[in-house]
Each structure stands twice: as C-alpha cells, then as structure tokens.
C-alpha cells in the first residue's frame, strides 16, 4: 500500500508529515474547516473538520495522515454535526451578515451556505462585546469573533508582535489586545501586519475601505466554498 | 503604593522572574495586594519578559485570580450538589441579606463579595466556604451570622474562631494504604535494595543518560510496579508500570515526575486526606518514580482550594530533605538526586486533565494540548513527564516496599490493590472508605449507613449514575470504574436537581478551547435551566441528546466527552424526574415574558401580583 488514504472512497495521496486535512486540500478534496490556515500549524479548535476514521471521530486538521485510512467526511451524520457546530458559532457571537463588510468573503458565512445552515436554530446568546475603534486605521468588531486564534498566531509567529491573546474561560473566553488600556490604539498593531490579513470572519477590518470589492464579486459569491479547495492548499515553504 | 511594588519585586525575585512560575507569582502577588490590577499585570509581564496580553490571559483563565477588586473579604460557597443538599444556597442567601449584598457583586464600600465556586472538596463536612481562599467547613445559620459580624467589624481572618478552619479527615475504613506503618524512607530503602535479577536489554539501558549506566536497580523497581498491575487512580486507569516505562525509555536529558493533586471532580476529597495523613508516602512514591524514570525534579500540582495544605506540605518536604530522602545523593546513592516542589492551582477543574495541568505548571492557560505527542515523551517543558494521581504514588510506594506479588494478590485480577472512596450525600457516616477493588456498591452503602438510597453518582459528574437495581455491581475498572467520588442520593431527592447542578458545573469549567464544549456546555445548562423553570418540552430533551452526541464525537478532551453523561444517565434511569417538568406542548420558547420583567420589579421594589404577567398558564 502506497502513501494514500481515502476520503469518502476517493483516493488521496499524502506526503509523510501531512495531516489528513492538509493532504485532502492538496488533492482538491474539500473538508470544511475554520481555524485551519495553510500558512500556520494546525490548531484543532473549531472542530468543523471532524471526520470519521475507520468509524471513529477525529479532528482531521491535527490527525497525521497514515496509509490505508478510510475516512468518511460527507456523510449525513457528520454533516449534521458540522451544521450544529456552525449554529453554535452563530449564536455564541453577534453575526448580522447584511451589515458586515466581510459578507461574501467570510468563511463562516460561506460554510453556512455550503452546508445548508438556514437558521441559527439555538437561542441567541447576544453577548455584550463592545467594538474597539480606537486605532486610526483599524477596527476590531469582537461581535463576530469565532476564537480561531489565527490573529494571535499570526501576530506571534509572523509579525513577532504578540498584539492579540485570549482571556477568560469557557463561554466567556474572548480576544484581548496587548495594552494596559485594553485599546488597540495603544498597541504597535499596523495594517500591514500578517495578523491584519488572516481573520476568516469580520473582526479585524481596515477603516475607510468599505465595499472596495462590490457585493457579487467576492470570493464566495459566485461559487460555494466547498468547490474552492485550491484556496487552502498548504503553502510549500522553501527548504522544506 | 511603593510598599506594594516592593512586595511585588520580592515575589518576582524569589521566582527568578521565571515565566513558567507565573501561576505562583500571580497567586502570591494577589495574596499581598488583594487583586491583580492592570498596572500590576504590566509590571509582572515586563519582569518575566512575556507579552502583557499573555499574562492577562492567564490571570483571566483561572477563577481564583481577579483582575478587578473583589472586596477585602471574598466568600465563596462551594456549590456542589452535596453542599446544596445540606442547605448551602439558603445559607448563602441569608449571608447576602445580612451583608446587604447581591451574589457576585462587591459591596459598595469594597468590603466584601459573596459568590459560589465549584466543589471545594469538603463534601463530607459541608456546607463549605472559602474565605479569601481559606477553607471553612460545616456552615450553619449561626456561623453565617457570626461571620457577617466579623466581616462588618473587619476582623482579620487570623482572629476568626480557629475551629471554623478545622478540616476533619473522617477516615471510616482503612486498609493497606491508610493503615500502613511504613516509616519515612522505608519504601525508598526497599526500592534501592532491589537489584535486577537478569540483565535484559531494558535493564542495561542507562536510566539517566550519562550517569549510572551500571545501575540496574531502577529497572528492578519498575518490574515490581509492572508486576503489581497498578493502574492509575485518577479515573482513566492507565497501567502505571507502562507509563513509567514509556517515560524512562523516551530519549531526553531531563525527565519530570508530576503528582496530580488537582482534585477537582465534585464529590472527591480522598487526595486531601492522603495529603493530610500520608504525605510522606505520596512524596516517597514520587521519589521512587524519580528513581525509576531518571527524573531529578518532581512537582505536586495542588488545587487552589487546598491552599491551607501548602505550609504543612512544605514542612514535610523540608524534613525529608533533612533526612536525605530528598536532595542530592539520596540515602547515599550517588547520582540519585531528586527534589519536590508544590505548585498551587487557582480554580480550574480542567487542569485535572494531564496536559492542561502541564500547561498550567508552565505558567499558561490550562488548555489541554493536542495529542499525540503524549506527556510521557513531550510533557513539562517539552520533556518526558509522568503525571500520576496522588493515590497512585502512595500505592506505588507500597509496591516498592512490599513488592508487586504482594500487591497484586489484593483486589480483583484486572483491578489490583485498594481504592479510596470519598463517600458523601445521604449517608449517616460520610468520609473516606478504603476497600480492596471488587467491593459492591451495596456494601459501601451499608457500611456508610445509607438508608433509602435511590442512586449513587460514582466518580463524580463525569462518572456514572448508578440506580438501585445496579447496587450489586462492583467497584473495579472492569465494572464500575471510579476516581473516588461516591455521592449518595436517597429517594426523597430529585435526580433532575442533581443533573442540573452537574450541567451548571461543566458550563462553568469548560476551558473554551473547542466549539462543541465551549458552546455545548452552555447550551446544555440553558436547556436544563429551561426545563427546571417548567418551560421545557419534549423538543428540548431531543435537543439535549443531539448536543450530547456532538460533544461526545467532536470535543477536544475528556471534559467535553463526559460533560453530557450525567444528563444522558439520568434521562435513561430517572426519566420521570424530567417528564413531570415538561410541558405537554410540542415547543415553548425559552423567552419568559414575566421573567423579563424581573429587573423592572427589582427597580420599583415591587413583587405583588400586579407586578406579574399572568401568562404562565
């Protein structure tokens, strides 16, 4: 048996060291995910990429690929679980797509459409999460945060700035910034930071840049995210 | 202010400005300054060289750290179901009225706050409170009144009645562990006396790279541990010998021994008693483990609720150093260097999970790691680490002293040795019962004086709810496994209340890392509260099952996998407790119109019938 496994019967080749999700995305096989980003180490917190391996549930972004694995991903049961996870994320924050600048390029919204989430289903939590508009060029709308930690990872690993971190626990867990005042303006955050580019939803936004790309021309407007696996192919780093 | 800053500088200096000691720095700072102000956190972050936000994130994770002032007196009522059964909620209400307080709010003058906290491990002598993180047991209406007076008079805690702080051991049945007559050092001497009988490949391996390649003793001790078939006492039941062997064989320049004394499972208090009566045996087991795996350093991760044990434990450690049972060349064996330090947690149940515990020990938020790799190869500071329960180390010391054959003759074939049970709830004699594995639930109930029991929650909320038709089953890994909790409920108790209490507990203790547990535990709590208010329907019960399915399949760690178990168990075994609360309607919204007017009623000081909507019927 060579270095391949199957996803819903389809054969997927992998390189040693790749995780199941990385190999699947490389092979244009889409598995829903939110906290995974091709340029960062897998995180394993959103659980959208949950699959079944030989009948047992597993998180595909952190699961090392192994030859001969039989993976089920798009079964009715797994899809139902993913829809419930998306609904959980919807009620936990305050998401109003029509007024959000990220509509059409938001991965949460795109996955909801792709998986057929037609309503939040659960009772809304309506958390109180004030917006931080202190920074002259950037805006933080915490209402939309899904706690994927991509901005935290980008700021620490790429920008070497540690602008973001998490505080609180459980349902009160929330994003904070690196300043005694708690305000983004008092950090060394800059619009050119990697952390400013990675938010999969609409938390970290450039001020005065609304609707630069018109609605209808945005990445997920024309084609469902599930048909765009090529967007998330792992980046081959030099020397690796 | 300068005095405060000096205190902070002393603490930071004592910990060498080492970020991995952040938990201890934050706790000691808070003990001096009362709370962790924004400027204090900035100063700590600067001194240890960590990003400020990371330090704030750690402070924000643990229930016992405050980034806002919480009053000079902070009273926390243990909110386990056993405390509630002893009247804790009514007593807390009375205390709040007496002090003119709302639960969770600090008084206007900044004097006092009163709130609830997860089980403090005093279930056999509740209702219990923590006052400024000092344990007080057996609360009564009289004590509530007297305590309110002492707080109003701003009497220092040191001048409060000493008997309030007395914690009973309540040992009701002792066996090989609690009855042992080993003197400090005896088990260690026996371990050092063992030499390998045959030189196998494993024996010939260096037990600490570069040192003592010719020492065969450690592998001989490991053989005894393996022979004993000792299994972890923290609940999972992993074979101790295999864990130690995997760690011993992991290539590294440093290894660590960690004792999990974060006894957070509601209803469990046996580790508290072991650390009170048998601390030497526990430390001895850790030292034996250090000898076997080749570790130089051990840590006891003690839950913050047991803060009062810190000084006594440090005294025992100091005595053991004087006796050369810790330190360098222990008992004269060159190269056998080992020492132990006690680290305190700060109110986070999830830190009982071994990888979360290690994160916390490194000064971080207690979030379970992605596994593999496991701690035996990548643990504390990325080095091979064994994490074992307090009771496991005590049992290991017994095995080192008396041998594996002796130990495995006790208990059942798959569950050797004895088990300490923390018995509480509706029994005449609550306390610690040590039994050989294989004892039936009924036997424990009879010994503890439980008349009229309808259910026992074995191993806490994450364990199993055992109904009366199952009382003949045995306590053993192969039948009813347990970490030690044994909460008894008589036929007058409402098992829905029990399940609701557990749902509230898990929602409070989820670390929040993964979506299914972070949101799922709160959804479950909200649904249970809705049913509890009499607004539930069959739809809500179905919903509970679906959320439970998702959490069991997709959650990141054991907390999320087990959080729904008490609900599913009680739904299966005590369904009438739910059904009599359900509306006959197919669906009813969670929004309660009359409940929404509560704030208006409070503001106007009215609670008469005219201030209520008659929409309930």
């Amino acid at each position: 048996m060579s270095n391949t496994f199957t996803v819903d019967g389809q054969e997927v080749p992998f390189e040693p060291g790749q995780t199941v999700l990385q190999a699947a995305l490389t092979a244009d096989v889409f598995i829903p995910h939110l906290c995974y980003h091709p340029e960062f180490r897998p995180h394993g917190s959103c659980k959208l990429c949950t699959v079944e391996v030989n009948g047992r549930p597993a998180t595909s972004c952190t699961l090392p690929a192994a030859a001969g694995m039989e993976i089920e991903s798009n079964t009715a049961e797994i899809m139902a679980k993913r829809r419930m996870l998306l609904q959980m994320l919807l009620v936990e924050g305050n998401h109003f797509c029509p007024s959000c600048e990220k509509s059409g390029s938001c991965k949460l919204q795109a996955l909801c459409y792709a998986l057929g989430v037609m309503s939040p289903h659960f009772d809304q939590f309506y958390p109180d999460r004030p917006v931080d508009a202190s920074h002259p060029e950037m805006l933080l709308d915490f209402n939309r945060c899904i706690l994927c930690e991509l901005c935290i990872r980008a700021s620490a690993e790429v920008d070497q700035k540690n602008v973001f971190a998490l505080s609180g626990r459980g349902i009160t867990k929330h994003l904070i910034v690196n300043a005694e005042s708690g305000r983004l303006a008092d950090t060394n955050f800059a619009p050119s930071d990697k952390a400013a580019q990675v938010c999969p939803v609409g938390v970290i936004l450039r001020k005065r840049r609304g609707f630069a790309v018109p609605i209808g021309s945005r990445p997920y407007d024309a084609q469902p995210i599930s048909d765009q696996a090529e967007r998330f192919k792992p980046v081959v780093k030099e020397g690796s | 202010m300068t005095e405060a800053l000096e205190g902070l500088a002393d603490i930071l200096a004592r910990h060498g400005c080492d970020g991995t000691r952040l938990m201890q720095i934050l706790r000691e700072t808070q003990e001096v300054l009362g709370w962790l102000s924004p400027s204090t956190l900035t100063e700590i972050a600067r001194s240890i060289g960590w990003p400020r936000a990371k330090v704030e994130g750690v402070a924000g994770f643990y229930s016992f750290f405050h980034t806002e002032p919480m009053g000079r007196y902070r009273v926390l009522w243990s909110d386990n179901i056993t405390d509630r059964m002893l009247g804790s909620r009514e007593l807390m209400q009375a205390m709040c009225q007496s002090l003119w307080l709302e639960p969770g709010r600090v008084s206007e003058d900044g004097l006092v706050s009163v709130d609830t906290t997860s089980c403090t491990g005093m279930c056999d002598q509740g209702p219990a409170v923590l006052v400024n993180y000092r344990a007080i047991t057996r609360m009564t209406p009289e004590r509530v009144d007297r305590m309110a007076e002492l707080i109003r008079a701003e009497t220092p805690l040191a001048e409060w009645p000493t008997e309030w702080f007395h914690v009973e051991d309540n040992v009701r049945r002792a066996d090989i562990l609690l009855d042992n007559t080993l003197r400090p050092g005896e088990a260690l001497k026996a371990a050092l006396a063992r030499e390998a009988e045959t030189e196998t490949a494993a024996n010939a391996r260096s037990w600490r790279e570069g040192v003592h390649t010719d020492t065969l003793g450690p592998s001989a001790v490991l053989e005894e541990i393996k022979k004993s078939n000792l299994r972890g006492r923290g609940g999972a039941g992993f074979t101790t010998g295999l864990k130690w062997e995997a760690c011993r064989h992991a290539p590294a320049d440093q290894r660590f021994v960690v004792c999990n004394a974060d006894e957070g499972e509601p209803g469990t208090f046996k580790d508290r008693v072991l650390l009170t009566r048998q601390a030497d045996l526990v430390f001895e087991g850790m030292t034996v483990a250090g000898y076997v795996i080749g570790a130089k350093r051990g840590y006891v991760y003690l839950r913050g609720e047991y803060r009062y044990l810190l000084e006594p434990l440090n005294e025992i450690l100091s005595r053991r150093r004087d006796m050369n049972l810790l330190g360098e060349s222990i008992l004269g064996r060159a190269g056998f260097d080992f020492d132990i330090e006690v680290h305190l947690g700060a109110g986070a149940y999830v830190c009982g999970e071994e990888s979360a515990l290690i994160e916390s020990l490194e000064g971080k938020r207690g979030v379970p790691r992605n596994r593999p790799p496991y701690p035996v190869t990548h643990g504390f500071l990325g080095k091979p680490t064994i994490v074992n329960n307090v009771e496991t180390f005590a049992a290991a010391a017994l095995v080192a002293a008396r041998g594996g054959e002796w130990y495995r003759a006790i208990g059942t074939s798959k569950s050797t040795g004895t088990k300490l049970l923390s018995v509480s709830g509706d029994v005449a004699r609550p306390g610690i019962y040590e039994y050989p594995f294989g004892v039936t639930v009924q036997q424990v109930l009879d010994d503890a004086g439980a008349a009229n029991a309808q259910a026992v929650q074995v191993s806490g909320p994450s364990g199993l709810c055992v109904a009366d038709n199952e009382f003949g089953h045995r306590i053993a890994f192969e039948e009813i496994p347990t970490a030690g909790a044994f909460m008894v409920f008589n036929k007058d108790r409402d098992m829905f209340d029990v399940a609701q209490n557990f749902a509230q507990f898990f929602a409070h203790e989820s670390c929040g890392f993964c979506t299914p547990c972070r949101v799922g535990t709160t959804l479950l709590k909200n649904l249970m509260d809705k049913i509890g208010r009499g607004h539930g329907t069959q739809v809500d019960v179905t919903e509970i099952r679906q959320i439970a399915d998702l959490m069991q399949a997709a959650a990141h760690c054991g907390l999320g996998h087990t959080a729904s178990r008490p609900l599913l168990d009680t739904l299966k075994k005590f369904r009438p407790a739910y059904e009599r609360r359900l509306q006959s309607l197919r669906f009813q919204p969670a929004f309660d119109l009359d409940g929404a007017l509560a704030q208006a009623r409070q503001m106007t000081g009215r609670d008469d019938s005219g201030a209520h909507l008659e929409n309930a019927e």
Side-chain angles (χ1 to χ4, degrees):
Chain A
M1 195 158 25
S2 62
N3 276 354
T4 63
F5 59 88
T6 61
V7 177
D8 296 329
Q10 186 181 341
E11 194 156 294
V12 172
F14 69 92
E15 303 285 329
Q18 272 187 323
T19 67
V20 167
L21 180 65
Q22 285 167 338
L25 292 171
T26 307
D28 280 336
V29 173
F30 185 80
I31 298 175
H33 60 273
L34 276 171
C35 69
Y36 172 77
H37 187 289
E39 292 170 55
F40 294 92
R41 268 174 295 142
H43 192 244
S45 64
C46 76
K47 301 297 174 189
L48 254 292
C49 72
T50 298
V51 293
E52 282 190 11
V53 186
N54 306 329
R56 297 186 58 163
T59 309
S60 66
C61 71
T62 52
L63 180 72
M69 280 176 163
E70 288 177 20
I71 289 171
E72 295 200 301
S73 176
N74 287 346
T75 66
E77 295 92 83
I78 296 171
M79 282 309 214
K81 287 194 167 63
R82 289 179 185 149
R83 277 192 286 276
M84 190 181 273
L85 285 169
L86 289 167
Q87 288 165 334
M88 285 178 167
L89 290 169
L90 290 178
V91 299
E92 171 189 37
N94 298 309
H95 298 275
F96 303 103
C97 296
S99 66
C100 179
E101 161 60 23
K102 279 297 267 296
S103 181
S105 39
C106 166
K107 281 180 79 176
L108 176 64
Q109 182 196 44
L111 281 172
C112 285
Y113 281 133
L115 271 62
V117 173
M118 304 316 284
S119 79
H121 178 80
F122 301 113
D123 295 319
Q124 295 278 357
F125 291 5
Y126 294 124
D128 183 19
R129 298 181 182 174
V131 169
D132 181 348
S134 63
H135 195 280
E137 291 170 276
M138 302 297 294
L139 175 78
L140 295 182
D141 189 341
F142 297 110
N143 288 294
R144 301 155 181 169
C145 184
I146 56 168
L147 303 163
C148 68
E149 300 185 37
L150 273 169
C151 57
I152 299 174
R153 292 181 270 163
S155 189
E157 294 167 24
V158 180
D159 307 329
Q160 312 276 320
K161 285 185 177 180
N162 295 296
V163 169
F164 298 101
L166 289 174
S167 189
R169 185 176 78 202
I171 201 65
T172 69
K173 187 171 87 161
H174 58 281
L175 196 62
I176 57 170
V177 299
N178 193 30
E180 190 174 307
S181 65
R183 289 160 20 113
L184 188 66
D186 297 324
T187 70
N188 55 351
F189 191 57
S192 57
D193 285 357
K194 183 73 181 173
Q197 331 294 329
V198 291
C199 183
V201 292
V203 179
I204 305 176
L205 298 171
R206 193 81 191 255
K207 283 185 176 173
R208 297 176 292 279
R209 275 283 181 84
F211 299 92
V213 178
I215 285 176
S217 317
R218 298 179 176 191
Y220 308 121
D221 282 343
Q223 223 187 351
I225 190 171
S226 49
D227 293 344
Q228 302 186 50
E230 74 280 358
R231 283 183 173 278
F232 313 108
K233 277 186 191 178
V235 181
V236 182
K237 286 187 186 135
E238 274 178 56
S240 64
Chain B
M1 190 62 202
T2 41
E3 205 173 300
L5 280 177
E6 269 171 36
L8 179 54
D10 285 349
I11 292 165
L12 284 161
R14 192 160 61 249
H15 290 287
C17 293
D18 178 359
T20 66
R21 307 185 63 86
L22 180 59
M23 290 286 291
Q24 310 310 306
I25 293 170
L26 291 175
R27 176 183 55 79
E28 290 175 25
T29 304
Q30 184 171 281
E31 282 182 8
V32 175
L33 302 181
W35 65 297
L36 302 165
S37 71
S39 60
T40 303
L41 291 177
T42 304
E43 176 58 19
I44 291 173
R46 193 191 59 75
S47 302
I48 64 174
W50 280 20
R52 188 194 180 282
K54 190 173 168 187
V55 173
E56 185 183 344
V58 172
F61 184 85
Y62 296 92
S63 297
F64 291 180
F65 292 147
H66 313 304
T67 51
E68 284 169 20
M70 293 312 294
R72 295 191 288 286
Y73 293 87
R74 175 137 176 91
V75 182
L76 292 171
W77 286 82
S78 176
D79 198 27
N80 189 23
I81 183 69
T82 54
D83 293 287
R84 289 188 182 183
M85 282 156 55
L86 293 164
S88 64
R89 278 182 300 183
E90 294 75 14
L91 290 173
M92 176 170 129
Q93 197 57 43
M95 178 178 266
C96 285
Q97 275 170 6
S98 172
L99 290 165
W100 285 83
L101 271 180
E102 262 183 81
R105 289 267 186 88
V106 188
S107 60
E108 300 269 325
D109 55 358
L111 177 67
V112 56
S113 64
V114 176
D115 208 344
T116 57
T117 187
S118 298
C119 179
T120 61
M122 301 289 168
C123 324
D124 57 337
Q125 46 205 303
V129 294
L130 295 173
V131 180
N132 294 353
Y133 303 103
R134 294 292 167 149
I136 294 178
T137 59
R138 295 175 301 262
M139 289 299 289
T140 58
E142 295 72 37
R143 283 192 178 185
V144 166
D145 290 344
R146 182 84 188 96
M147 197 177 281
E149 283 169 27
L150 289 169
I151 289 171
R152 272 194 299 265
E154 299 192 42
T155 312
L157 240 59
E159 292 167 29
W160 287 23
T162 48
E163 70 268 20
W164 288 8
F165 298 92
H166 183 69
V167 178
E168 296 279 354
D169 289 346
N170 287 334
V171 172
R172 309 286 183 177
R173 189 185 194 281
D175 210 298
I176 52 167
L177 213 166
L178 290 170
D179 255 354
N180 87 85
T181 52
L182 292 170
R183 290 181 305 281
E186 206 174 328
L188 211 46
K189 277 176 202 145
L192 292 182
R194 287 184 202 280
E195 290 294 334
E197 286 161 18
T198 52
E199 189 162 332
T200 63
N203 280 344
R205 222 187 159 88
S206 154
W207 63 283
R208 185 184 295 149
E209 277 71 3
V211 192
H212 268 265
T213 45
D214 58 338
T215 304
L216 301 181
S219 60
V221 178
L222 178 60
E223 284 310 307
E224 293 301 321
I225 300 284
K226 284 165 76 177
K227 214 183 285 173
S228 73
N229 203 21
L230 173 64
R231 293 170 68 174
R233 300 299 194 236
F238 194 80
T239 311
T240 306
L242 294 182
K243 186 185 273 188
W244 290 15
E245 188 169 48
C247 184
R248 177 180 148 84
H249 287 179
D253 55 350
Q254 257 182 311
R255 295 183 184 79
F256 293 99
V257 173
V258 175
C259 175
N260 185 345
D262 191 49
E263 188 173 47
E265 192 71 43
T268 318
F269 46 90
K270 48 122 190 145
D271 293 342
R272 182 196 85 215
V273 174
L274 275 176
L275 289 170
T276 308
R277 292 168 81 101
Q278 300 285 347
D280 265 301
L281 196 68
V282 175
F283 292 146
E284 198 128 332
M286 291 178 69
T287 314
V288 167
Y291 177 65
V292 169
I293 68 165
K296 290 197 172 194
R297 193 132 194 93
Y299 292 95
V300 176
Y301 188 94
L302 182 68
R303 69 185 307 221
E305 288 81 350
Y306 297 164
R307 167 68 185 81
Y308 73 99
L309 287 174
L310 180 63
E311 285 83 10
L313 289 174
N314 278 337
E315 272 171 39
I316 294 170
L317 287 173
S318 167
R319 173 167 53 70
R320 290 182 71 84
R321 279 178 208 116
D322 293 342
M323 294 170 74
N324 193 215
L325 299 174
L326 286 174
E328 289 181 6
S329 302
I330 290 172
L331 291 173
R333 180 69 62 102
F336 181 18
D337 308 334
F338 188 73
D339 213 326
I340 296 173
E341 191 184 336
V342 182
H343 267 230
L344 269 168
Y349 164 76
V350 71
C351 289
E353 196 279 342
E354 62 175 6
S355 67
L357 185 151
I358 290 169
E359 288 283 296
S360 183
L361 207 53
E362 292 179 358
K364 300 186 235 164
R365 293 163 57 83
V367 177
R369 294 175 175 174
N370 280 318
R371 286 155 301 160
Y374 292 92
V376 286
T377 57
H378 297 76
F380 182 59
L381 305 177
K383 306 290 184 185
T385 303
I386 53 163
V387 183
N388 281 120
N389 182 261
V390 173
E391 192 181 349
T392 313
F393 281 118
L398 285 186
V399 174
R402 304 251 196 270
E405 287 294 346
W406 168 80
Y407 193 81
R408 72 180 301 158
I410 302 156
T412 75
S413 61
K414 283 182 181 148
S415 310
T416 59
T418 61
K419 184 77 195 85
L420 268 59
L421 300 177
S422 315
V423 179
S424 64
D426 293 316
V427 295
R429 293 174 294 280
I432 297 296
Y433 292 74
E434 182 185 6
Y435 290 100
F437 272 109
V439 66
T440 62
V441 171
Q442 187 62 54
Q443 180 71 48
V444 182
L445 288 171
D446 292 344
D447 291 352
N452 204 23
Q454 68 165 326
V456 181
Q457 187 73 25
V458 180
S459 205
S462 67
L464 189 71
C465 183
V466 179
D468 57 2
N469 60 339
E470 304 163 299
F471 287 172
H473 292 197
R474 300 179 308 160
I475 301 286
F477 290 108
E478 61 272 30
E479 239 174 279
I480 302 180
T482 180
F486 195 97
M487 292 185 273
V488 181
F489 306 101
N490 71 23
K491 294 203 164 75
D492 300 329
R493 302 293 177 188
D494 188 336
M495 292 309 288
F496 177 86
D497 291 342
V498 177
Q500 188 182 14
N501 174 257
F502 294 165
Q504 291 164 352
F505 166 76
F506 283 118
H508 186 257
E509 296 298 344
S510 168
C511 83
F513 174 77
C514 71
T515 312
C517 180
R518 181 180 69 242
V519 187
T521 50
T522 294
L523 287 172
L524 288 180
K525 171 185 154 304
N526 290 350
L527 285 165
M528 289 296 280
D529 290 349
K530 181 183 175 189
I531 295 172
R533 285 195 305 269
H535 287 253
T537 64
Q538 194 54 47
V539 176
D540 297 305
V541 174
T542 310
E543 194 98 314
I544 286 173
R545 288 189 193 286
Q546 283 172 350
I547 295 167
D549 265 0
L550 171 67
M551 289 170 67
Q552 286 178 348
H556 178 63
C557 78
L559 192 157
H561 295 147
T562 55
S564 57
R565 276 180 72 172
L567 275 53
L568 297 181
D569 263 6
T570 45
L571 266 172
K572 191 164 116 197
K573 299 174 185 176
F574 299 96
R575 202 174 167 92
Y578 287 77
E579 279 179 347
R580 67 170 163 264
R581 287 183 163 82
L582 298 182
Q583 300 269 345
S584 53
L585 305 168
R586 258 195 73 251
F587 175 78
Q588 179 149 344
F591 183 72
D592 173 3
L593 201 50
D594 187 59
L597 294 175
Q599 200 179 7
R601 281 193 292 269
Q602 197 191 13
M603 286 167 71
T604 53
R606 283 183 61 183
D607 199 21
D608 55 283
S609 61
H612 284 271
L613 286 170
E614 288 173 339
N615 71 329
E617 298 309 313

